[in-house]
Amino acid sequence: MTTTPTTATVYQQLKGHLDELKLADAAEALPGILDQAQAEDWTLTHALEQLLAIEVSATEKRRLAGRFRFANLPTGATLSNFDHDAASGIDPNLLAEIGTCRFLENATNVLLIGPPGVGKTHIATGLGHAAVNAGYRVYFTSAADLAARCHRAAIEGKWSTMMRFFAGPTLLIIDELGYLPLPAEAASALFQVINQRYLKTSIVITTNRPVGAWGEILGDTTVAAAMLDRLLHRSVVVTLDGASYRLRHHATAAEEIRRATTGTNLR
């Protein structure tokens, strides 16, 4: 005579299976799903789909959080909260287009060129957020930090490891090229990073210097020309202009303080 396991035993077995498979969120949701399935007379297929959907959603949230941790994005800036008044010369339609991240599909690069304070880093960071949310691996670094890490890796005999690291992300964002003087070996490091990503994965670069001045920035016109040849082969170049957002914000804040102090409402 065959003994039928009790409902409680089957429940414990099912929960044990979920725990063994490390489906922690599904295991936690199991009692509620079973209660709802019984109350609403769900089919077995529907109950199973609801249970697994909870685990899939939780897994994707963990993956998204992991991609954001790896991305090293400096702020929560997104393209949706970019202040178009802070920069002239950028087409909102172009910004919307690159915000779709379609440029990543054919390893196109984006160069953001303009004076300080017009939103280059904001746009670069916003592209990083969009790419992470779209499921891509992203890494954000300053040009100075990239050069310093490559220099340290060369000294420690870890050059190949560092090159593999910078080759890995689908989108590499290099911020503030030209803002700080770079050591002599920086040109070689930047070139090798760009060269190994050429036609494979995308790079976003922000710089306050026109491309014609990159030889001066890097201290090597030959390497700069070779670097630009690869970057510009398949690229979107966005030139921004306008007054610094930070300076405009400072001027506005100073005027508000002056008005509050004097009690004068100037027009």
Side-chain angles (χ1 to χ4, degrees), residues 124-246:
T125 304
L127 289 173
H129 275 90
V132 169
N133 281 312
Y136 296 102
R137 290 186 78 224
V138 176
Y139 189 73
F140 185 105
T141 181
S142 69
D145 187 58
L146 184 151
R149 291 182 65 181
C150 288
H151 176 64
R152 187 164 58 249
I155 293 173
E156 296 173 353
K158 299 178 180 178
W159 179 263
S160 296
T161 301
M162 188 57 61
M163 288 298 104
R164 284 196 299 273
F165 175 83
F166 283 119
T170 306
L171 175 60
L172 176 65
I173 302 172
I174 304 174
D175 194 32
E176 297 183 337
L177 178 64
Y179 281 75
L180 296 173
L182 295 173
E185 69 277 3
S188 175
L190 281 168
F191 173 75
Q192 292 196 52
V193 168
I194 290 168
N195 187 52
Q196 68 178 346
R197 296 178 63 87
Y198 178 52
L199 299 182
K200 298 175 185 175
T201 46
S202 298
I203 298 174
V204 170
I205 291 182
T206 75
T207 179
N208 64 334
R209 306 291 297 277
V211 293
W214 281 26
E216 178 186 340
I217 294 171
L218 300 171
D220 191 319
T221 55
T222 302
V223 171
M227 188 185 304
L228 284 167
D229 179 63
R230 287 156 177 77
L231 284 172
L232 296 175
H233 177 200
R234 191 182 289 166
S235 68
V236 176
V237 179
V238 180
T239 302
L240 298 96
D241 201 358
S244 167
Y245 172 80
R246 300 177 191 88

Side-chain angles (χ1 to χ4, degrees), residues 2-267:
T2 303
T3 303
T4 303
T6 65
T7 300
T9 301
V10 172
Y11 169 80
Q12 292 299 331
Q13 288 175 340
L14 177 55
K15 190 172 186 308
H17 293 330
L18 294 173
D19 289 334
E20 182 67 23
L21 293 171
K22 302 187 185 307
L23 304 178
D25 291 277
E28 183 178 352
L30 181 61
I33 289 292
L34 292 178
D35 289 344
Q36 192 171 2
Q38 185 175 19
E40 299 180 17
D41 196 24
W42 288 356
T43 64
L44 178 60
T45 301
H46 182 62
L48 183 60
E49 188 279 328
Q50 291 292 302
L51 185 66
L52 294 180
I54 290 171
E55 187 64 39
V56 168
S57 177
T59 299
E60 178 51 37
K61 286 180 181 178
R62 288 192 294 271
R63 288 175 178 168
L64 180 63
R67 290 197 300 273
F68 269 116
R69 283 193 300 272
F70 177 81
N72 193 40
L73 296 170
T75 68
T78 65
L79 296 179
S80 63
N81 59 26
F82 176 68
D83 182 4
H84 288 274
D85 295 333
S88 60
I90 184 167
D91 181 357
N93 293 325
L94 174 60
L95 191 60
E97 169 58 29
I98 60 177
T100 65
C101 294
R102 281 197 287 264
F103 70 95
L104 298 174
E105 296 173 6
N106 61 355
T108 295
N109 304 309
V110 178
L111 274 63
L112 300 165
I113 304 172
V118 294
K120 301 184 301 299
T121 298
H122 186 130
I123 293 173
T125 304
L127 289 173
H129 275 90
V132 169
N133 281 312
Y136 296 102
R137 290 186 78 224
V138 176
Y139 189 73
F140 185 105
T141 181
S142 69
D145 187 58
L146 184 151
R149 291 182 65 181
C150 288
H151 176 64
R152 187 164 58 249
I155 293 173
E156 296 173 353
K158 299 178 180 178
W159 179 263
S160 296
T161 301
M162 188 57 61
M163 288 298 104
R164 284 196 299 273
F165 175 83
F166 283 119
T170 306
L171 175 60
L172 176 65
I173 302 172
I174 304 174
D175 194 32
E176 297 183 337
L177 178 64
Y179 281 75
L180 296 173
L182 295 173
E185 69 277 3
S188 175
L190 281 168
F191 173 75
Q192 292 196 52
V193 168
I194 290 168
N195 187 52
Q196 68 178 346
R197 296 178 63 87
Y198 178 52
L199 299 182
K200 298 175 185 175
T201 46
S202 298
I203 298 174
V204 170
I205 291 182
T206 75
T207 179
N208 64 334
R209 306 291 297 277
V211 293
W214 281 26
E216 178 186 340
I217 294 171
L218 300 171
D220 191 319
T221 55
T222 302
V223 171
M227 188 185 304
L228 284 167
D229 179 63
R230 287 156 177 77
L231 284 172
L232 296 175
H233 177 200
R234 191 182 289 166
S235 68
V236 176
V237 179
V238 180
T239 302
L240 298 96
D241 201 358
S244 167
Y245 172 80
R246 300 177 191 88
L247 293 178
R248 290 193 297 111
H249 180 74
H250 173 74
T252 300
E255 178 62 16
E256 290 176 353
I257 292 172
R258 190 184 70 79
R259 288 180 179 180
T261 302
T262 62
T264 304
N265 186 17
L266 301 177
R267 295 184 182 273

